[in-house]
Amino acid sequence: MALKIYNTLTRKKEVFKPIVKGKVGMYTCGPTVYWYQHIGNLRSYIFADILRKVLLYNNYKVKQVMNVTDVGHLTSDADEGEDKMEKAAKKEGKNAQEIANYYLKLFREDFKKLNISEPDVWCKATEHIKEQIELIKKLEKKGFTYKTKDGIYFDTSKLKDYGKLARLKKEGLQAGKRIDLGEKKNITDFALWKFSEKPGVRQQEWNSPWGVGFPGWHIECSAMSMKYLGENFDIHTGGEDHISVHHTNEIAQSEAATGKKFVNYWLHGAFLMFKGEKVSKSKGGLYTISELEEKGFEPLEYRYFVLTAHYGKPLNFSLGNLEASKNAYQRLKNIISEIKDDKKINKDYLEQFEEAIDNNLDMPNALQVLWKLVRDEKASGKYQTIKEMDKVFGLKLLEKEEISVPDEIKKLVAEREKARKNKEWKLADELREKINRKGYSVDDADEGARVGKV
Ligand code: AMP
Ligand code: ZN
C-alpha cells in the first residue's frame, strides 16, 4: 500500500515519493508570536502533526522544521501596516523578545496538551537574519530585485511561472491596475527587506547592505527551510490562507535564487469556521485551549473534534459540536478501558485503518474503523490494534485518566481507611457515602484505597 497525499501544486492526489529513500524533510509554517494561538491556528498544527505521525507510521524518518515569526509580519499580509511584534510590544509595554518568548511558551504548552509532537527544529526569524540577507543578496545578483524608498522588492514579472501554486492568472493581475502601486512595479511584487522609517525607533532592526531595517515575512521561511532541509525538500505545510501570497512568494524567491524546484509536495489545512466565517486573530480570534479548559473541555476532546473532519475541508466550530465530540471521546475511552490485552493484532481492522490514513489522511474514516472495532463483539486483538492506531490518532486512547483528587476527599479517604483498620464498619460506610455524595468513588484494592469519579 502506498501513501497518497493531495498536492496543492498539482491539484492532485499523488503517491508520496521522498527525495531520499526512507527519509522526509518537512517544513511547517509556524506561529507569529505576538498573541495567543486560537483553536483555528491549532487546527492547522494538529493537521501537520497527523501528517508527521502518518509518515512515521509508514516508517519514514522525519525531520520537521517549524519557524517562529518574531519579526517582519505586518498587519496586512502584503507589505503594509505595522509589524505585528512591534505593535504588541508597544501595547504590552514589553520588549519584542519578551513577547515572542511568552507566546511561544504558551504555544508549546498547547502542543503538549493536544499531544502534538514538537518539531525537530524550531527556528526564530530573528536568529537567522544573516541567512535572509544572504538570500536577498543572491536574488539581487541575479537581477530579481529593485529598490524603492521603503525597501528592497522582488520583481515578480521576472519569473515566468510566478503564481503557479495559487494558479494566479497574469491577466487577472493586470485587471487590478487601479490599485495604488506606489513605487512597486507589479501588484504582486513583495518586500524582501524593509527599511526602518527612522533608524533607532524600532526595537528590532539590523544593518544590511541596503540600509538599516528588517526582513520581509516571506524570506524567513525560504531562508530557514533551505538552511535546515536543503534547496529542494519534500513537504511544506500551512493553512490554506497561505497559498496565494506567503507560499507563492516563498516559491518565487527560492526558485529564483537556486534555479531548482523548491518543494515537491505542498499541503494545506482548511479553516476552522465559526458562524460561517474563518476564525481569525485579527477579528478577535475565538477561544484558546485554556479557555476551552475553563469551560470544562479537555484538550484531547478538541483534538478528537478536529479529527472528525478531513483536513482539507472547513470545519464548523460551536460549543455544541465540541460537546458532541466530548461525549464521543469519553464514551470511546470508557469502552476501551474495559478491553483486555490478548497480545494479538486484528489485521483486518488494522488494514482498513491503514487504507484510510494512507488515503490522504482520511481521519474521519479512520475514526469510523476504530469505532467499528470497539463495537465488534467478536473481534480479537482489540487492545494491540488500538495501540497501533493511536500512534496516529494521538488521542491517548489506552491511558487511564489520572484524576486529581481534592484535599477534602483525600482526608475523608484517610479517615475511612483508619475506620476500617479499627473495624468501625458503620463509620467506614458512612464515610464512603459522604465521598460518593461529593462525586468520588472509593474501592478497596490490595495496595490501598483507589479513588475514582462517579
Ligand atoms: P499565524 O500565527 O497567524 O501566522 O497563523 C498560524 C497558522 O494558523 C497558519 O498556518 C494559518 O494558516 C493558520 N490559520 C489561521 N487561521 C486559521 C483558521 N481559522 N483555521 C485553521 N488554520 C488557521
Ligand atoms: Zn511560512
Side-chain angles (χ1 to χ4, degrees):
M1 223 169 1
L3 170 61
K4 287 197 207 109
I5 46 181
Y6 182 82
N7 189 352
T8 308
L9 198 58
T10 57
R11 304 287 195 274
K12 283 196 187 89
K13 224 191 295 184
E14 296 175 23
V15 171
F16 174 68
K17 291 199 190 93
I19 297 165
V20 179
K21 196 168 170 258
K23 289 190 179 168
V24 183
M26 169 175 167
Y27 186 86
T28 299
C29 276
T32 310
V33 282
Y34 68 102
W35 190 238
Y36 302 97
Q37 291 283 305
H38 55 63
I39 53 177
N41 300 132
L42 289 161
R43 182 187 182 200
S44 267
Y45 300 110
I46 292 175
F47 144 62
D49 182 56
I50 291 288
L51 173 60
R52 176 194 168 108
K53 288 184 162 73
V54 168
L55 289 163
L56 290 170
Y57 189 93
N58 277 275
N59 293 319
Y60 287 109
K61 262 188 94 174
V62 180
K63 178 171 177 187
Q64 186 187 14
V65 178
M66 196 182 291
N67 65 302
V68 176
T69 303
D70 56 353
V71 69
H73 196 165
L74 305 190
T75 44
S76 111
D77 273 359
D79 302 302
E80 280 129 40
E82 251 183 290
D83 185 316
K84 292 181 179 186
M85 292 301 305
E86 297 273 327
K87 192 174 163 191
K90 248 189 258 163
K91 198 172 114 204
E92 297 193 25
K94 291 193 184 128
N95 81 42
Q97 277 311 304
E98 279 168 1
I99 301 269
N101 291 336
Y102 176 71
Y103 290 110
L104 178 59
K105 184 170 154 273
L106 293 185
F107 183 58
R108 293 173 73 174
E109 281 169 14
D110 284 347
F111 264 39
K112 208 165 190 183
K113 289 179 186 173
L114 290 165
N115 203 19
I116 297 174
S117 310
E118 294 233 356
D120 304 281
V121 178
W122 285 107
C123 41
K124 274 186 173 178
T126 53
E127 288 169 6
H128 295 79
I129 300 295
K130 195 176 100 252
E131 287 83 351
Q132 296 174 71
I133 290 177
E134 285 309 312
L135 190 55
I136 302 168
K137 271 164 67 182
K138 230 179 187 176
L139 289 168
E140 186 179 41
K141 230 186 200 159
K142 291 195 169 189
F144 283 99
T145 65
Y146 62 91
K147 190 173 172 179
T148 72
K149 68 174 180 313
D150 70 0
I152 303 294
Y153 281 77
F154 184 93
D155 185 345
T156 53
S157 68
K158 293 258 165 79
L159 201 67
K160 67 175 186 319
D161 57 1
Y162 178 80
K164 62 184 170 189
L165 179 72
R167 311 239 156 140
L168 301 177
K169 296 252 178 339
K170 284 251 158 69
E171 314 84 70
L173 300 177
Q174 293 294 320
K177 260 186 190 153
R178 267 168 298 150
I179 292 175
D180 180 18
L181 286 180
E183 285 182 68
K184 260 167 52 165
K185 293 185 184 164
N186 311 284
I187 320 169
T188 45
D189 292 357
F190 55 91
L192 297 164
W193 188 264
K194 290 273 271 188
F195 302 134
S196 297
E197 263 177 51
K198 277 192 219 123
V201 174
R202 282 180 60 93
Q203 290 191 14
Q204 305 194 109
E205 57 185 7
W206 295 266
N207 282 322
S208 81
W210 313 281
V212 175
F214 58 98
W217 171 40
H218 318 300
I219 198 79
E220 69 168 283
C221 282
S222 289
M224 297 196 290
S225 61
M226 291 198 282
K227 169 170 178 170
Y228 294 104
L229 298 169
E231 291 179 344
N232 167 233
F233 61 91
D234 298 295
I235 300 179
H236 195 310
T237 74
E240 63 181 351
D241 51 337
H242 287 343
I243 299 172
S244 60
V245 180
H246 183 51
H247 290 167
T248 287
N249 293 345
E250 272 189 50
I251 294 176
Q253 63 202 2
S254 307
E255 298 192 350
T258 66
K260 293 181 195 157
K261 185 176 185 182
F262 177 41
V263 172
N264 292 355
Y265 301 87
W266 286 87
L267 272 76
H268 292 97
F271 288 141
L272 183 75
M273 312 284 288
F274 184 62
K275 294 185 176 162
E277 278 195 61
K278 167 199 168 190
V279 174
S280 83
K281 272 185 254 184
S282 50
K283 290 195 191 108
L286 190 60
Y287 302 115
T288 60
I289 287 296
S290 305
E291 282 166 339
L292 286 186
E293 284 179 296
E294 280 162 26
K295 291 191 175 301
F297 294 101
E298 299 286 335
L300 290 181
E301 292 162 1
Y302 179 67
R303 185 174 173 107
Y304 183 98
F305 171 66
V306 167
L307 300 188
T308 61
H310 189 267
Y311 78 83
K313 300 224 170 76
L315 171 62
N316 289 319
F317 180 82
S318 72
L319 285 178
N321 290 349
L322 184 59
E323 190 75 37
S325 282
K326 177 188 179 76
N327 293 336
Y329 177 66
Q330 293 305 341
R331 215 170 339 122
L332 188 60
K333 287 225 23 172
N334 275 338
I335 304 173
I336 292 173
S337 69
E338 303 292 324
I339 294 174
K340 300 267 173 317
D341 183 5
D342 60 7
K343 310 271 185 222
K344 286 188 225 155
I345 289 269
N346 190 309
K347 284 215 178 97
D348 180 27
Y349 278 101
L350 197 59
E351 259 169 40
Q352 290 179 45
F353 168 80
E354 287 167 359
E355 226 166 86
I357 60 168
D358 284 353
N359 179 21
N360 191 28
L361 325 181
D362 188 347
M363 299 315 289
N365 203 351
L367 274 180
Q368 277 184 19
V369 176
L370 170 65
W371 271 104
K372 231 169 51 187
L373 171 67
V374 298
R375 284 187 170 135
D376 184 343
E377 284 171 14
K378 293 200 193 88
S380 64
K382 285 186 183 178
Y383 189 94
Q384 289 296 330
T385 310
I386 292 168
K387 193 170 172 188
E388 279 302 296
M389 292 178 175
D390 206 33
K391 287 181 183 166
V392 176
F393 287 128
L395 288 168
K396 302 194 176 174
L397 294 170
L398 294 166
E399 268 181 36
K400 301 255 188 304
E401 236 77 56
E402 292 255 329
I403 64 157
S404 62
V405 182
D407 285 347
E408 179 198 13
I409 303 294
K410 279 188 195 150
K411 231 169 102 191
L412 289 171
V413 171
E415 275 176 40
R416 183 173 169 273
E417 282 288 274
K418 202 168 139 204
R420 276 168 53 80
K421 235 183 221 154
N422 297 337
K423 300 197 183 341
E424 295 173 65
W425 306 117
K426 194 160 165 278
L427 178 61
D429 282 347
E430 277 168 15
L431 284 164
R432 179 204 287 275
E433 270 169 36
K434 206 166 169 187
I435 293 166
N436 290 162
R437 276 200 303 276
K438 291 186 185 287
Y440 290 83
S441 64
V442 55
D443 290 318
D444 301 309
D446 294 344
E447 68 276 11
R450 200 187 293 143
V451 184
K453 271 204 159 150
V454 289

